[in-house]
Amino acid sequence: MHKADVIIVGSGLAALMVAYHLCGHKNVIVFTKSNKEVSNSWLAQGGVAAAIHPADHWLSHYEDTITTGCEHNDDEAVRILVQEGREAIEQFMHLGFSFDVDERGELLFGREGAHRMRRILHAGGDATGKKMVEFLFEKLSSRVLFIENDPVIDLLVNDGRCVGVRTKNGLYVAEATIVATGGIGQLYTFTSNVETATGDGIAMAYRVGAAVADMEFVQFHPTMLYVDGKAVGLISEAVRGEGATLVTDDGRHVMDGVHPQKDLAPRDIVSRAIDREMKNGHLVFLDISAIPHFSSRFPTITSLCERYQINWRSGLIPVVPGAHFLMGGIVVNVDGETTLPGLYAVGEAACTGVHGANRLASNSLLEALVFSRRAAHSILKKKEQLPGVNKYEETRENVCIPLPTKEQIQQTMTECVGIVRNYDQLLEAKQWFEQYSLFELIHCAPPYDDEERTIVNMLIVGWLVTTSALQRRESRGAHYRSDEPFERQYWEKRRIVRTKTEHLIKEGFR
């Protein structure tokens, strides 16, 4: 039995920001699924959106976020994001972090889809997430204990309270446990996400009774580099922000007549337009010929193209949409508290409601800065005591059920629960998932074998996405059903909230 004040599961930007705000006051342990540098934050090429430019205003950022989220957002969470975002970024810069500047030393502002103006800060051109994560690792290296070789298997609960985690090699108890495990992109064949993004934290929280919500809202990024039938890396939306356009193999502009903002339309609209072209037998390319000094502006993307022998100098980069971001996740309030006392969630694993039905570009890193700080402050204010250490014997039987492969799950999700869905496909996927004894997977202890445990978590999360999508009989944001192609008034501000004992539709977010 091991003790800590705070346990954090995950090592992306949200996890590291919580750790930074806590480490001067609490004994913090950070568990990572593999190498601590492997996270979606590390891969984030885009930047941080915030109303910092003198010509900008938080209200404009607020309206862009709400519009892109199809007004499904939690209004209060969005207000906190855009109003506290400026202070959070200024604080981060005060710690010594440098965003990109021009020759006069002034901050450079980029533009991305669905933003009405340039408000995106970058670092290292298209390596913002990596730069921010590296910066925090350096700050935390001697102040926080990182454990990389002992994966978290389950959350510990006693008397209705989360009291720590069970790992492969032992038990760790803490006054507060924070899930920061990222998203679910690996449930799909094409994804921008790292290999470890299999929804583990969401599945663990759901298994112990924490509520999850908005699981049907899975955002697909329009532009993944497409090589030999595979998506091999992200092509940042900032490329279109600098003037790139989407074209077909026969020279047509994909977004002409589709949306007033054309190539900078919200991601769900652009992804569906590309998906439609590909289903009609066409290849789609990013035409970057209008961007001067492409290699210096986008060094990460240039390197990615060269690694896969794509001649970016020709001006055309082949692309395909890929699963990118989950707007739903573990239900939290604006201080990161879940419905299970003692358990917190931050980052993509959490559902603050800030992203609504579709995330506005570059709001995810800002969310990590703002809400991780709030979660840390909430923990510091509570002054909880460490729980007792003598009651946590295993009480659930270990699962022993024949399981599918990861590739079978990905195929089912891609074909039936992808960019465009319909009732028949969703029902087919639901029946496929439920053949694997979901009740036992949810209520029994997870396997100790790493591969089997990942499959179990993917099955639980895939089923949650599928059945939530089946219940929401409309199209809104990233959830698009061809059999229900319009938003319906009935579903305005209604969330599908799920627990392991029930799921219900909740009106409003407060």
Side-chain angles (χ1 to χ4, degrees):
M1 184 82 69
H2 307 272
K3 295 182 182 180
D5 295 328
V6 179
I7 290 170
I8 302 173
V9 187
S11 62
L13 183 64
L16 299 179
M17 283 305 304
V18 177
Y20 179 81
H21 288 296
L22 290 173
C23 66
H25 311 275
K26 299 285 186 179
N27 172 25
V28 179
I29 296 178
V30 178
F31 285 93
T32 69
K33 192 173 181 180
S34 59
N35 184 301
K36 66 177 183 290
E37 294 180 350
V38 177
S39 68
N40 283 341
S41 299
W42 185 268
L43 297 181
Q45 296 173 356
V48 187
I52 292 178
H53 192 279
D56 202 357
H57 190 274
W58 68 263
L59 186 59
S60 175
H61 190 186
Y62 175 92
E63 291 171 350
D64 286 349
T65 300
I66 295 288
T67 299
T68 301
C70 300
E71 300 189 8
H72 185 70
N73 317 62
D74 181 317
D75 296 346
E76 174 65 6
V78 177
R79 184 195 63 77
I80 288 170
L81 177 80
V82 298
Q83 286 192 322
E84 296 185 10
R86 178 179 185 134
E87 180 186 350
I89 287 178
E90 289 175 346
Q91 182 183 45
F92 200 64
M93 294 170 65
H94 183 71
L95 296 178
F97 186 79
S98 297
F99 288 102
D100 293 343
V101 296
D102 62 20
E103 62 277 2
R104 298 170 297 173
E106 301 288 336
L107 287 170
L108 285 168
F109 294 92
R111 187 182 176 193
E112 296 183 8
H115 288 275
R116 285 177 290 177
M117 66 175 300
R118 289 179 171 268
R119 64 164 63 98
I120 317 298
L121 297 173
H122 294 89
D126 55 359
T128 310
K130 178 181 178 181
K131 293 290 186 182
M132 295 175 78
V133 169
E134 283 179 332
F135 177 79
L136 284 172
F137 276 140
E138 184 178 341
K139 295 284 185 184
L140 292 170
S141 60
S142 61
R143 305 175 69 187
V144 168
L145 175 61
F146 289 93
I147 298 180
E148 299 181 40
N149 56 354
D150 192 12
V152 173
I153 292 174
D154 216 354
L155 299 172
L156 296 176
V157 176
N158 187 58
D159 293 333
R161 178 181 180 82
C162 183
V163 294
V165 299
R166 178 182 301 279
T167 72
K168 200 168 184 179
N169 298 319
L171 302 180
Y172 291 76
V173 296
E175 62 188 57
T177 303
I178 306 170
V179 174
T181 50
I184 67 166
Q186 285 295 327
L187 268 69
Y188 292 87
T189 303
F190 297 154
T191 180
S192 64
N193 289 194
V194 293
E195 286 289 332
T196 55
T198 50
D200 299 321
I202 296 170
M204 286 191 289
Y206 181 77
R207 279 201 302 267
V208 296
V212 302
D214 286 351
M215 294 298 291
E216 65 272 32
F217 295 114
V218 180
Q219 182 181 84
F220 284 75
H221 197 288
T223 53
M224 300 287 300
L225 181 61
Y226 191 47
V227 181
D228 296 330
K230 297 179 180 180
V232 297
L234 184 69
I235 306 296
S236 170
E237 193 160 308
V239 176
R240 281 175 284 135
E242 295 301 318
T245 57
L246 291 159
V247 298
T248 61
D249 48 6
D250 56 357
R252 290 177 293 107
H253 287 268
V254 173
M255 297 305 296
D256 279 0
V258 175
H259 190 274
Q261 290 180 283
K262 294 189 177 181
D263 296 271
L264 290 177
R267 287 174 175 172
D268 62 306
I269 294 171
V270 181
S271 292
R272 286 197 298 274
I274 297 173
D275 181 67
R276 184 165 53 248
E277 291 290 351
M278 297 188 77
K279 285 178 178 175
N280 287 332
H282 294 284
L283 296 175
V284 175
F285 299 85
L286 259 182
D287 183 348
I288 62 170
S289 58
I291 302 177
H293 313 296
F294 180 84
S295 60
S296 58
R297 173 63 182 86
F298 299 104
T300 303
I301 296 170
T302 300
S303 176
L304 177 68
C305 289
E306 291 177 348
R307 189 185 322 154
Y308 288 96
Q309 299 180 324
I310 299 298
N311 180 18
W312 59 270
R313 290 182 178 83
S314 71
L316 296 177
I317 299 176
V319 294
V320 66
H324 186 58
F325 193 90
L326 175 67
M327 277 67 72
I330 305 164
V331 173
V332 296
N333 63 16
V334 294
D335 293 323
E337 299 169 315
T338 73
T339 58
L340 181 65
L343 181 66
Y344 294 74
V346 293
E348 192 175 350
C351 181
T352 60
V354 76
H355 302 302
N358 194 27
R359 175 171 68 82
L360 180 65
S362 288
N363 268 358
S364 57
L365 295 182
L366 186 68
E367 179 190 26
L369 294 179
V370 171
F371 289 98
S372 294
R373 182 174 65 168
R374 293 182 67 94
H377 290 172
S378 176
I379 290 168
L380 292 174
K381 284 188 295 185
K382 286 184 180 300
K383 299 180 180 178
E384 301 283 1
Q385 298 295 315
L386 276 172
V389 296
N390 57 356
K391 295 185 179 181
Y392 309 116
E393 298 301 322
E394 182 66 80
T395 58
R396 297 191 291 172
E397 294 183 3
N398 199 267
V399 66
C400 185
I401 296 170
L403 299 172
T405 64
K406 180 178 179 180
E407 290 72 24
Q408 287 174 312
I409 296 173
Q410 291 171 330
Q411 181 179 357
T412 299
M413 291 296 291
T414 300
E415 292 180 356
C416 299
V417 201
I419 297 172
V420 177
R421 309 156 175 181
N422 62 50
Y423 176 85
D424 291 338
Q425 290 174 328
L426 292 170
L427 183 61
E428 179 184 342
K430 176 180 181 289
Q431 293 170 344
W432 185 86
F433 279 110
E434 290 177 353
Q435 71 179 307
Y436 293 103
S437 304
L438 264 297
F439 181 87
E440 286 80 2
L441 295 183
I442 292 166
H443 290 272
C444 294
Y448 275 74
D449 175 84
D450 292 349
E451 184 175 350
E452 289 182 351
R453 188 172 62 256
T454 296
I455 295 298
V456 167
N457 289 337
M458 291 175 70
L459 283 171
I460 292 171
V461 174
W463 174 77
L464 285 169
V465 174
T466 300
T467 49
S468 296
L470 194 56
Q471 183 166 349
R472 182 173 288 276
R473 299 192 66 128
E474 68 159 353
S475 290
R476 187 177 298 271
H479 169 68
Y480 186 84
R481 286 181 52 162
S482 58
D483 59 328
E484 301 277 359
F486 305 107
E487 292 183 3
R488 296 190 181 275
Q489 187 175 359
Y490 171 82
W491 287 103
E492 284 186 9
K493 293 293 188 186
R494 290 177 185 251
R495 287 172 116 170
I496 299 176
V497 180
R498 314 288 297 274
T499 71
K500 71 173 181 178
T501 55
E502 65 177 346
H503 68 270
L504 53 92
I505 302 168
K506 182 177 178 182
E507 296 190 33
F509 300 149
R510 291 284 165 209

